[in-house]
Amino acid sequence: MHIELSRHSSTKLYSQIAVTLGDRIRSGLLTPGTKLPSVRNLSAQLSVSQVTVSKAYAELESEGLIACSQGKGCYVSAGAGKDQTGDEADLSWQLSLMDYLPRAQLWHHFNHVLPARYQFHKAAIQEELLPTREIVANAYKMLSDDPALMANYGSFSGDFGLRKALASVLNGSGMSVTAENLLITSGAQQGIDLVARTFVGPGDVVYMEAPSYTGAIDVFASRGAKIIMVPMDEEGMRVDMLTKLCDLNPPKLIYCIPAFHNPTGVTMSVRRRRQLVDLAQSYHCLIVEDDPFSSLYFNEPPPHPIKCHDQAGHVIYIRSYSKTLAPGCRIACMAAHGSVLSRLIAAKSTTDLGSPMMTQKALQPFIETRLEQHMEQLRTVLRRRLQLALTVLRKHAPAELSWNVPEGGLNLWLKLPAYADPVSLERRAEQAGVSFLPGGVCYAGEADSRHIRVSFTYPAEDKLQEGLKLLCSLIAESRTASPERKPVL
Amino acid sequence: MHIELSRHSSTKLYSQIAVTLGDRIRSGLLTPGTKLPSVRNLSAQLSVSQVTVSKAYAELESEGLIACSQGKGCYVSAGAGKDQTGDEADLSWQLSLMDYLPRAQLWHHFNHVLPARYQFHKAAIQEELLPTREIVANAYKMLSDDPALMANYGSFSGDFGLRKALASVLNGSGMSVTAENLLITSGAQQGIDLVARTFVGPGDVVYMEAPSYTGAIDVFASRGAKIIMVPMDEEGMRVDMLTKLCDLNPPKLIYCIPAFHNPTGVTMSVRRRRQLVDLAQSYHCLIVEDDPFSSLYFNEPPPHPIKCHDQAGHVIYIRSYSKTLAPGCRIACMAAHGSVLSRLIAAKSTTDLGSPMMTQKALQPFIETRLEQHMEQLRTVLRRRLQLALTVLRKHAPAELSWNVPEGGLNLWLKLPAYADPVSLERRAEQAGVSFLPGGVCYAGEADSRHIRVSFTYPAEDKLQEGLKLLCSLIAESRTASPERKPVL
């Protein structure tokens, strides 16, 4: 621990030490529970006598900022620092520091590790179903055969070998891209973010499905975009309504999740996909096609991606392998053409100089050889999870609860009965150990939301059934539960 | 250079090559001035005859897309690409698509894998000096013992175990932080970017040393900041000048690299560090302390970080381990306090949901056990490199060339003689197989720059000596070389 001491000052050394440490504790730089250096060590570090340090510590203890005990040493006291009124003035200047973060719902909803026994809030796949052991072994083999790979940044657009492997996978979905069309990103989230920082600025109009992915809404909102959400029906985004809206508010960008949409599970029809490309052409705007789930179909594969209909570089296609292969690698790719691509690569360079070589090389062998087989297995297991979930719902859901039956993906989108207040339900569910995503965060504005998103692919089968049953009973109880919020007069 | 060839197509191979290259040129992926591979190299890479490549090049030349000359090879023509009407009709709408990327020097200067024989442009450390094999083995052990780690996103702020290890390292440099004060990022670049996107917007005043790190300039420029660069002397940033400038243009943020500054190698004095904190306190602004190199000292360790003087959460401290441990992992950390930290975490969640678990867990054991020993070894080896470089310079540099003698870090900052035009020198150096960073990119505006940055830590010892000698002779030749640029009327 470093303390600047002035040896020529009229203030005694022990007092200088006490004042400096006291400031650090009050400002939160030294947090409660931190162990202070021993008297012997600090005296050596500062080249002062042990008596000086002892006197400084005694003073801090008398102020209640630290607590010392024989043999254990001195610790910053609980309650020291922030909780002291008056004393926390130190950091208060930060309150006046303007920032550019108008919204970060994702952070609010996911930043604490939820202790929920039944976790339905995460659109993720149960750990045991992911090939993590195989990927780690692949990485080890590849990187220990060629350790120089780890000493390199690689190119901003990502490792060429991985891009080649991914191009071949995408071409299997009907696209025609080469490795040169691809940019590797740290998850789809970064892909969306790169598009936004490159092409979206204050006042630019961004269309999204209503509802949509929270993380994408956050990104566009943080750029100051004018977000307009377009209702959906069973064919996906209502392109007829979008077309009318575009008359008044010409689009800069249209963001959509056409296959097994998050959160609703709806798949966009081929007709709508074509219309969307036509619209983008006539408005000279971009389409961002976010496609994490198209391999996770339970009956039929979804139609070819919108990118397949794109003749003129309007569509930026994003496919993530973070959820389906290894969240610990955070790998996704984007396919784009022309200067749209080269500008995204420039943005990637500014953001982080390119994704880490290690995670890219970890996934490459699996993607080259085992991807299709793994997806086939996932489809089988997740289809069964869905059936189990639907069986519980059919048996235990209160009459007024309704839901979609998704044909792929990870989510159920439940519509609560009119009597169930979502806020109070969330609170009671949390107490009962059940987590879900309240539908409201899937809208850009203050939407109604009678919906909640329940991801059925993260809990094990028994937990899935127990938890859903419990959730059904909590919803049913809402009918009698007293409202917890009173109108504010 | 990779080109997909279909050997069963009715289109001749030379034509496939010409079409692909033509597309890349027209779309701007290959920019004017780019040197194409030699006929011999490309034919070897694509496993086609040299005649095939020659025919492809001839076709591209006849279209005006490239220019070839005996002995020098083929280059993409000025005016190729964007300017061509007709052929690029498909993607041409993209030209009207406004973006928010005013500057990406980093991308321009590093996006092509330079074939230079003597690579002095990369501020990086030679592969053989990095513990990549050990890190890969650690990762394998840790992740195969606990594969569930790979199935998780981890927290937005980064893995707690790694943060704990890093907090202990930082406290060894005189700081007092806990794991809770840290945020793991994908390299320092992402850290700077997170700060900018959170706290810097159009018109906000950002002060930087003149010159500074290109990647940071790009980031602040892309946010629309008003960047003001402050001259340096042997004590670092001229805080007296900064103070005067702040009267007229109050700062939102001050970015600095106080230890072994990039590119100049200068270290900021303790006095200036304290003054900087005082200034930040009186202006309620932030300081970003970018500190990748403080462990790489050749004589004395640099003074304690500015963060050590920070009582009230003004300083955001960034330390990268990307260059010094494993570029393939891209791991850095930021230390901050109060709501400044929590807002940065919110930004990180929007950007990429948190850094990959795999790379974090790969580095943790090394940082816990071997870091200090590794840094000690690096210091010894790099000190020797510096001595070799200085010996060559003293012996071979033309009289008018001058340089700093850095006390740490990776860079030499050479001041060219008045007769040497940096642009023409760069071109001749490239032809001779020597790369360096032209000093101009280290300024926000159109600065003079008679300087070039030569990183002496990436090439092996023999290459370092040969390359520097060659560079000296190229500079000396500038005296007679005719200027290659004529004024455009």
Side-chain angles (χ1 to χ4, degrees):
Chain A
M1 181 175 290
H2 177 76
I3 296 174
E4 290 287 343
L5 295 178
S6 163
R7 305 207 181 240
H8 308 293
S9 159
S10 61
T11 310
K12 294 238 165 76
L13 286 174
Y14 83 85
S15 178
Q16 294 183 39
I17 297 172
V19 165
T20 306
L21 289 178
D23 283 345
R24 288 189 195 162
I25 292 168
R26 277 183 288 262
S27 72
L29 278 174
L30 285 173
T31 49
T34 306
K35 186 175 185 182
L36 295 178
S38 70
V39 169
R40 178 203 295 258
N41 281 345
L42 191 58
S43 74
Q45 282 169 36
L46 304 179
S47 307
V48 299
S49 74
Q50 295 193 18
V51 174
T52 301
V53 175
S54 295
K55 279 176 84 173
Y57 280 7
E59 178 141 289
L60 291 167
E61 194 168 27
S62 75
E63 287 174 56
L65 292 173
I66 67 172
C68 302
S69 65
Q70 199 64 39
K72 289 193 165 177
C74 296
Y75 290 82
V76 176
S77 302
K82 299 192 176 185
D83 303 342
Q84 319 248 325
T85 47
D87 282 333
E88 69 160 0
D90 269 343
L91 288 176
S92 64
W93 71 274
Q94 292 188 345
L95 295 174
S96 66
L97 191 67
M98 200 180 87
D99 68 40
Y100 297 85
L101 291 172
R103 189 196 131 111
Q105 288 290 343
L106 203 64
W107 181 66
H108 289 302
H109 279 273
F110 290 94
N111 197 38
H112 45 112
V113 178
L114 279 164
R117 189 169 158 75
Y118 306 106
Q119 296 193 35
F120 298 126
H121 71 296
K122 280 207 264 191
I125 294 172
Q126 193 193 351
E127 288 161 20
E128 289 74 5
L129 305 178
L130 299 177
T132 51
R133 200 175 275 278
E134 195 174 337
I135 287 168
V136 169
N138 285 342
Y140 180 64
K141 182 161 181 354
M142 194 166 226
L143 297 172
S144 52
D145 288 353
D146 186 4
L149 284 172
M150 281 287 288
N152 277 306
Y153 277 75
S155 88
F156 295 146
S157 23
D159 179 65
F160 191 78
L162 177 63
R163 283 188 286 144
K164 224 174 135 183
L166 286 169
S168 147
V169 172
L170 295 185
N171 291 342
S173 327
M175 257 177 257
S176 57
V177 292
T178 65
E180 282 81 3
N181 297 124
L182 299 191
L183 167 59
I184 306 293
T185 61
S186 296
Q189 184 71 25
Q190 192 187 43
I192 301 165
D193 188 59
L194 288 176
V195 173
R197 64 188 286 147
T198 307
F199 296 111
V200 177
D204 284 344
V205 175
V206 172
Y207 287 96
M208 311 177 83
E209 289 130 342
S212 187
Y213 165 52
T214 304
I217 301 173
D218 280 2
V219 165
F220 296 124
S222 77
R223 297 288 305 168
K226 178 171 177 183
I227 298 176
I228 304 178
M229 300 193 93
V230 184
M232 305 175 69
D233 61 16
E234 68 285 352
E235 279 190 69
M237 187 188 262
R238 289 276 305 272
V239 181
D240 56 328
M241 293 184 67
L242 171 64
T243 308
K244 282 179 197 151
L245 287 164
C246 286
D247 283 347
L248 274 178
N249 295 284
K252 181 74 185 268
L253 186 152
I254 303 164
Y255 170 90
C256 59
I257 310 168
F260 317 127
H261 174 262
N262 174 4
T264 66
V266 170
T267 293
M268 192 184 286
S269 66
V270 175
R271 189 172 65 124
R272 295 267 171 92
R273 288 169 192 242
R274 291 221 182 92
Q275 289 170 343
L276 214 51
V277 171
D278 288 347
L279 195 75
Q281 279 173 0
S282 65
Y283 278 102
H284 288 185
C285 77
L286 294 170
I287 295 173
V288 174
E289 180 177 21
D290 189 1
D291 185 23
F293 301 138
S294 59
S295 305
L296 299 183
Y297 52 88
F298 304 139
N299 303 299
E300 297 285 301
H304 281 321
I306 300 175
K307 182 73 184 159
C308 300
H309 305 282
D310 177 33
Q311 302 296 320
H314 290 273
V315 180
I316 302 169
Y317 177 85
I318 302 178
R319 184 179 289 187
S320 173
Y321 284 102
S322 194
K323 288 178 197 293
T324 47
L325 292 187
C329 284
R330 305 286 299 116
I331 291 291
C333 72
M334 312 173 78
H337 287 84
S339 74
V340 166
L341 175 66
S342 51
R343 287 186 266 183
L344 289 170
I345 298 172
K348 173 76 176 169
S349 76
T350 311
T351 308
D352 63 7
L353 310 180
S355 285
M357 203 57 129
M358 183 180 211
T359 48
Q360 297 185 68
K361 282 302 185 191
L363 284 190
Q364 186 184 330
F366 192 89
I367 288 175
E368 283 170 343
T369 58
R370 293 253 298 115
L371 186 63
E372 194 34 55
Q373 191 186 351
H374 167 66
M375 290 298 181
E376 179 61 42
Q377 287 165 353
L378 271 188
R379 288 192 285 268
T380 308
V381 181
L382 300 187
R383 188 186 296 123
R384 188 179 140 86
R385 296 275 162 109
L386 175 65
Q387 292 313 325
L388 290 174
L390 293 174
T391 305
V392 174
L393 285 177
R394 284 183 198 120
K395 193 161 166 197
H396 298 283
E400 303 85 343
L401 183 73
S402 60
W403 58 88
N404 67 327
V405 176
E407 304 206 323
L410 314 182
N411 304 310
L412 284 164
W413 184 238
L414 307 188
K415 187 170 183 192
L416 297 178
Y419 57 75
D421 171 47
V423 175
S424 117
L425 177 65
E426 192 182 7
R427 209 171 305 160
R428 286 180 298 119
E430 198 181 334
Q431 283 159 12
V434 181
S435 67
F436 57 77
L437 193 72
V441 303
C442 302
Y443 294 86
E446 290 300 324
D448 108 281
S449 189
R450 305 228 58 82
H451 286 88
I452 64 176
R453 190 189 77 181
V454 168
S455 301
F456 58 90
T457 51
Y458 187 72
E461 293 191 352
D462 54 340
K463 283 280 193 334
L464 170 65
Q465 293 169 293
E466 287 164 33
L468 264 186
K469 200 171 146 187
L470 181 53
L471 180 61
C472 287
S473 68
L474 290 165
I475 295 169
E477 282 164 22
S478 299
R479 191 196 294 270
T480 48
S482 60
E484 299 192 10
R485 291 195 303 179
K486 305 240 188 247
V488 178
L489 297 180
Chain B
M1 182 174 292
H2 177 77
I3 296 175
E4 289 287 344
L5 294 178
S6 163
R7 307 213 176 234
H8 309 293
S9 159
S10 61
T11 311
K12 295 240 166 73
L13 285 175
Y14 83 87
S15 177
Q16 293 184 38
I17 297 172
V19 165
T20 306
L21 289 178
D23 282 346
R24 287 186 199 163
I25 293 167
R26 276 183 289 262
S27 72
L29 278 175
L30 286 173
T31 49
T34 305
K35 185 175 185 184
L36 294 178
S38 70
V39 170
R40 177 204 294 260
N41 281 345
L42 191 59
S43 74
Q45 282 168 35
L46 303 179
S47 307
V48 299
S49 74
Q50 295 193 19
V51 174
T52 302
V53 175
S54 296
K55 281 176 81 174
Y57 281 7
E59 178 141 293
L60 290 167
E61 196 169 22
S62 74
E63 287 174 55
L65 292 173
I66 67 174
C68 301
S69 67
Q70 200 64 40
K72 287 195 167 176
C74 296
Y75 289 82
V76 176
S77 301
K82 299 191 178 185
D83 304 339
Q84 313 255 325
T85 50
D87 277 331
E88 65 158 2
D90 268 345
L91 293 176
S92 62
W93 71 274
Q94 293 187 346
L95 296 174
S96 66
L97 191 66
M98 198 181 90
D99 67 39
Y100 297 86
L101 290 173
R103 187 197 134 111
Q105 288 291 344
L106 203 64
W107 180 67
H108 288 301
H109 280 272
F110 291 94
N111 197 38
H112 45 114
V113 179
L114 280 163
R117 189 168 157 76
Y118 306 106
Q119 296 194 35
F120 298 126
H121 71 295
K122 280 207 266 190
I125 295 172
Q126 194 193 352
E127 288 160 21
E128 289 74 6
L129 305 178
L130 300 177
T132 50
R133 200 174 277 277
E134 194 174 338
I135 288 168
V136 170
N138 284 342
Y140 181 64
K141 182 159 182 353
M142 195 165 222
L143 297 172
S144 54
D145 288 354
D146 186 4
L149 285 172
M150 282 287 288
N152 276 308
Y153 277 75
S155 88
F156 294 144
S157 23
D159 179 64
F160 190 77
L162 177 63
R163 283 188 284 144
K164 227 173 131 181
L166 287 169
S168 147
V169 172
L170 295 186
N171 290 342
S173 324
M175 256 178 258
S176 55
V177 293
T178 65
E180 283 80 5
N181 297 124
L182 299 190
L183 166 60
I184 306 293
T185 61
S186 295
Q189 185 70 26
Q190 191 187 43
I192 301 165
D193 188 59
L194 288 175
V195 173
R197 65 187 286 149
T198 306
F199 295 111
V200 178
D204 285 343
V205 175
V206 172
Y207 287 97
M208 309 178 83
E209 288 129 344
S212 187
Y213 166 53
T214 304
I217 302 173
D218 280 2
V219 164
F220 296 124
S222 77
R223 297 288 305 170
K226 177 172 179 182
I227 297 176
I228 304 178
M229 299 193 93
V230 184
M232 303 175 70
D233 60 17
E234 68 286 351
E235 279 189 72
M237 186 187 263
R238 289 276 306 272
V239 181
D240 57 328
M241 293 184 67
L242 171 64
T243 307
K244 281 179 196 150
L245 287 164
C246 286
D247 283 346
L248 274 177
N249 295 285
K252 181 74 185 267
L253 186 151
I254 303 164
Y255 169 91
C256 59
I257 311 170
F260 316 126
H261 174 261
N262 175 3
T264 66
V266 171
T267 293
M268 191 184 287
S269 66
V270 175
R271 189 172 64 125
R272 295 268 172 89
R273 289 168 192 242
R274 288 218 186 96
Q275 289 169 344
L276 214 51
V277 171
D278 288 346
L279 196 74
Q281 278 173 0
S282 65
Y283 278 102
H284 288 187
C285 78
L286 294 170
I287 295 172
V288 174
E289 180 177 22
D290 190 1
D291 185 23
F293 300 138
S294 59
S295 305
L296 299 182
Y297 53 88
F298 303 139
N299 303 299
E300 296 285 300
H304 282 315
I306 300 175
K307 182 73 183 157
C308 300
H309 304 284
D310 178 33
Q311 303 295 322
H314 290 272
V315 180
I316 301 169
Y317 177 85
I318 302 178
R319 182 178 290 186
S320 173
Y321 285 101
S322 195
K323 287 178 196 293
T324 48
L325 293 187
C329 284
R330 306 284 300 115
I331 290 291
C333 71
M334 313 173 79
H337 287 84
S339 75
V340 167
L341 174 66
S342 52
R343 287 184 266 182
L344 289 170
I345 298 171
K348 174 75 176 168
S349 76
T350 312
T351 307
D352 64 5
L353 310 181
S355 286
M357 203 56 130
M358 183 181 210
T359 49
Q360 297 186 66
K361 281 302 184 189
L363 284 190
Q364 185 185 331
F366 193 90
I367 288 176
E368 284 170 343
T369 58
R370 293 254 298 115
L371 186 63
E372 193 35 53
Q373 192 185 352
H374 168 66
M375 290 298 181
E376 178 63 42
Q377 287 164 351
L378 271 188
R379 288 193 285 267
T380 309
V381 182
L382 300 187
R383 189 187 295 125
R384 187 179 141 85
R385 298 274 162 109
L386 175 65
Q387 293 312 326
L388 291 174
L390 293 174
T391 306
V392 174
L393 285 177
R394 285 183 196 120
K395 194 161 166 198
H396 298 282
E400 304 85 343
L401 183 73
S402 60
W403 57 88
N404 67 328
V405 177
E407 305 208 322
L410 313 182
N411 304 310
L412 284 165
W413 184 239
L414 307 188
K415 187 172 184 190
L416 296 178
Y419 56 75
D421 171 45
V423 175
S424 118
L425 177 65
E426 190 183 8
R427 210 173 303 160
R428 287 181 298 119
E430 195 180 337
Q431 284 159 10
V434 181
S435 66
F436 57 77
L437 193 72
V441 304
C442 302
Y443 293 86
E446 290 302 321
D448 110 282
S449 188
R450 306 228 56 85
H451 287 87
I452 63 175
R453 190 189 75 180
V454 168
S455 302
F456 57 90
T457 51
Y458 186 72
E461 293 190 352
D462 53 340
K463 283 279 195 329
L464 170 65
Q465 294 169 291
E466 288 164 33
L468 265 186
K469 203 172 145 185
L470 181 54
L471 181 60
C472 287
S473 67
L474 290 165
I475 295 169
E477 282 164 21
S478 300
R479 194 194 292 272
T480 49
S482 61
E484 297 192 12
R485 291 194 306 181
K486 306 241 188 253
V488 178
L489 297 179

